[in-house]
Coordinates of all heavy atoms in Angstrom, one line a residue:
G10 N 10.6 6.7 -6.6 CA 9.7 7.0 -7.7 C 8.2 7.0 -7.4 O 7.3 7.2 -8.3
G11 N 7.9 6.7 -6.1 CA 6.5 6.5 -5.7 C 5.9 5.2 -5.8 O 4.7 5.0 -5.6
T12 N 6.7 4.2 -6.1 CA 6.2 2.8 -6.2 C 5.6 2.4 -4.9 O 6.2 2.7 -3.8 CB 7.3 1.9 -6.6 OG1 8.0 2.2 -7.7 CG2 6.9 0.5 -6.6
S13 N 4.5 1.8 -4.9 CA 3.8 1.5 -3.6 C 3.5 0.0 -3.6 O 3.9 -0.8 -4.3 CB 2.6 2.4 -3.5 OG 2.0 2.4 -2.3
L14 N 2.5 -0.3 -2.7 CA 2.0 -1.7 -2.5 C 0.6 -1.9 -2.9 O -0.2 -0.9 -2.8 CB 2.1 -2.0 -1.0 CG 3.5 -1.8 -0.2 CD1 3.3 -2.0 1.3 CD2 4.5 -3.0 -0.8
A15 N 0.3 -3.1 -3.3 CA -1.1 -3.3 -3.7 C -1.8 -3.7 -2.4 O -1.3 -4.6 -1.6 CB -1.1 -4.5 -4.7
P16 N -3.0 -3.3 -2.2 CA -3.9 -3.8 -1.1 C -4.0 -5.3 -1.1 O -4.2 -5.8 -2.2 CB -5.2 -3.1 -1.3 CG -4.9 -1.9 -2.1 CD -3.7 -2.3 -3.0
G17 N -3.9 -6.0 0.0 CA -4.0 -7.4 0.0 C -2.7 -8.2 -0.2 O -2.5 -9.3 0.1
S18 N -1.6 -7.4 -0.6 CA -0.3 -8.0 -0.8 C 0.4 -8.2 0.6 O -0.1 -7.8 1.6 CB 0.7 -7.0 -1.5 OG 0.8 -5.8 -0.9
P19 N 1.4 -9.1 0.7 CA 2.0 -9.3 1.9 C 2.5 -8.1 2.6 O 2.3 -7.9 3.8 CB 3.2 -10.2 1.6 CG 2.8 -11.0 0.3 CD 2.0 -10.0 -0.4
G20 N 3.1 -7.1 1.8 CA 3.5 -5.9 2.4 C 2.3 -5.1 3.0 O 2.5 -4.5 4.1
A21 N 1.2 -5.1 2.4 CA -0.1 -4.4 2.8 C -0.6 -5.1 4.1 O -1.0 -4.4 5.0 CB -1.1 -4.2 1.9
Q22 N -0.4 -6.4 4.1 CA -0.7 -7.1 5.4 C 0.1 -6.8 6.6 O -0.4 -6.6 7.7 CB -0.8 -8.6 5.2 CG -1.8 -9.1 4.2 CD -1.8 -10.6 3.9 OE1 -1.5 -11.4 4.7 NE2 -2.0 -11.0 2.6
W23 N 1.4 -6.5 6.3 CA 2.4 -6.2 7.4 C 1.9 -4.8 7.8 O 2.0 -4.4 9.0 CB 3.8 -6.2 6.9 CG 4.3 -7.6 6.8 CD1 4.7 -8.3 5.6 CD2 4.6 -8.5 7.9 NE1 5.2 -9.5 5.9 CE2 5.1 -9.7 7.4 CE3 4.4 -8.5 9.3 CZ2 5.5 -10.9 8.0 CZ3 4.7 -9.6 10.0 CH2 5.3 -10.8 9.5
M24 N 1.7 -3.9 6.7 CA 1.2 -2.6 7.1 C 0.1 -2.7 8.2 O -0.1 -1.8 9.1 CB 0.8 -1.7 5.8 CG 1.9 -1.4 5.0 SD 2.6 0.3 5.3 CE 1.3 1.2 4.5
A25 N -0.9 -3.5 7.9 CA -2.1 -3.5 8.7 C -1.8 -4.0 10.1 O -2.4 -3.4 11.1 CB -3.1 -4.5 8.0
L26 N -0.9 -4.8 10.3 CA -0.4 -5.2 11.6 C 0.2 -4.0 12.4 O 0.2 -4.0 13.6 CB 0.7 -6.4 11.5 CG 0.1 -7.7 11.4 CD1 1.3 -8.7 11.7 CD2 -0.9 -8.0 12.5
A27 N 0.7 -3.1 11.6 CA 1.3 -1.8 12.2 C 0.2 -0.8 12.5 O 0.5 0.3 13.1 CB 2.4 -1.2 11.4
G28 N -1.0 -1.1 12.1 CA -2.1 -0.1 12.2 C -2.3 0.8 11.0 O -2.8 1.9 11.2
L29 N -1.8 0.4 9.9 CA -1.8 1.3 8.8 C -2.6 0.6 7.6 O -2.3 -0.5 7.1 CB -0.4 1.6 8.3 CG 0.4 2.3 9.3 CD1 2.0 2.2 8.9 CD2 0.1 3.7 9.5
K30 N -3.6 1.2 7.0 CA -4.3 0.6 6.0 C -3.8 1.3 4.6 O -3.9 2.4 4.3 CB -5.8 1.1 6.1 CG -6.6 0.5 4.9 CD -8.1 0.7 5.2 CE -8.9 0.2 4.1 NZ -10.4 0.4 4.3
Q31 N -3.2 0.4 3.9 CA -2.6 0.8 2.7 C -3.7 1.2 1.6 O -4.7 0.5 1.4 CB -1.7 -0.3 2.0 CG -1.4 -0.1 0.5 CD -0.2 1.0 0.3 OE1 0.5 1.3 1.2 NE2 -0.3 1.7 -0.8
R32 N -3.6 2.4 1.1 CA -4.6 3.0 0.2 C -4.4 2.4 -1.2 O -3.3 2.1 -1.6 CB -4.4 4.5 0.1 CG -5.6 5.2 -0.7 CD -5.3 6.6 -0.9 NE -5.2 7.4 0.2 CZ -5.1 8.7 0.3 NH1 -4.7 9.3 -0.9 NH2 -5.0 9.4 1.4
R33 N -5.5 2.1 -1.8 CA -5.5 1.6 -3.2 C -5.1 2.7 -4.1 O -5.7 3.7 -4.2 CB -6.9 1.0 -3.6 CG -6.9 0.3 -4.9 CD -8.2 -0.4 -5.2 NE -8.6 -1.2 -4.2 CZ -8.2 -2.6 -4.2 NH1 -7.6 -3.0 -5.2 NH2 -8.6 -3.4 -3.2
L34 N -4.1 2.4 -5.0 CA -3.6 3.4 -5.9 C -3.6 2.9 -7.4 O -3.2 1.8 -7.6 CB -2.2 3.8 -5.5 CG -1.9 4.3 -4.1 CD1 -0.5 4.4 -3.8 CD2 -2.6 5.8 -3.9
A35 N -4.0 3.8 -8.3 CA -4.0 3.4 -9.7 C -2.5 3.1 -10.1 O -1.6 3.8 -9.8 CB -4.6 4.5 -10.5
G36 N -2.4 1.9 -10.7 CA -1.1 1.4 -11.1 C -0.1 1.1 -10.1 O 1.1 1.0 -10.3
G37 N -0.6 1.0 -8.8 CA 0.4 0.7 -7.7 C 1.4 1.7 -7.5 O 2.5 1.3 -7.0
R38 N 1.0 3.0 -7.8 CA 2.0 4.1 -7.5 C 1.4 5.3 -7.0 O 0.3 5.6 -7.3 CB 2.7 4.4 -8.9 CG 3.8 5.4 -8.9 CD 4.4 5.6 -10.2 NE 5.5 6.7 -10.2 CZ 5.2 7.9 -10.3 NH1 4.0 8.4 -10.6 NH2 6.2 8.8 -10.4
A39 N 2.1 6.0 -6.1 CA 1.7 7.2 -5.5 C 2.2 8.3 -6.4 O 3.3 8.6 -6.3 CB 2.2 7.4 -4.1
D40 N 1.2 9.0 -7.1 CA 1.7 10.1 -7.9 C 1.6 11.4 -7.2 O 1.0 11.5 -6.1 CB 0.9 10.3 -9.3 CG -0.7 10.4 -9.0 OD1 -1.0 11.4 -8.2 OD2 -1.5 9.5 -9.4
L41 N 2.3 12.4 -7.6 CA 2.4 13.6 -7.0 C 1.1 14.3 -6.7 O 0.9 15.0 -5.7 CB 3.4 14.6 -7.6 CG 4.9 14.1 -7.7 CD1 5.7 14.9 -8.5 CD2 5.4 14.1 -6.2

């Protein structure tokens, strides 16, 4: 459904270790 991660969350921190910067999204969701 496009559910995503909040910047600064543990998931986003793991993303950063992989070299990926989680984008900030309104409502924590990636819309089409």
Side-chain angles (χ1 to χ4, degrees):
T12 301
S13 191
L14 303 170
S18 66
Q22 291 177 39
W23 287 114
M24 288 266 285
L26 275 189
L29 301 168
K30 183 177 181 180
Q31 169 66 30
R32 189 187 296 178
R33 186 177 299 276
L34 301 167
R38 183 175 178 276
D40 57 56
L41 295 173

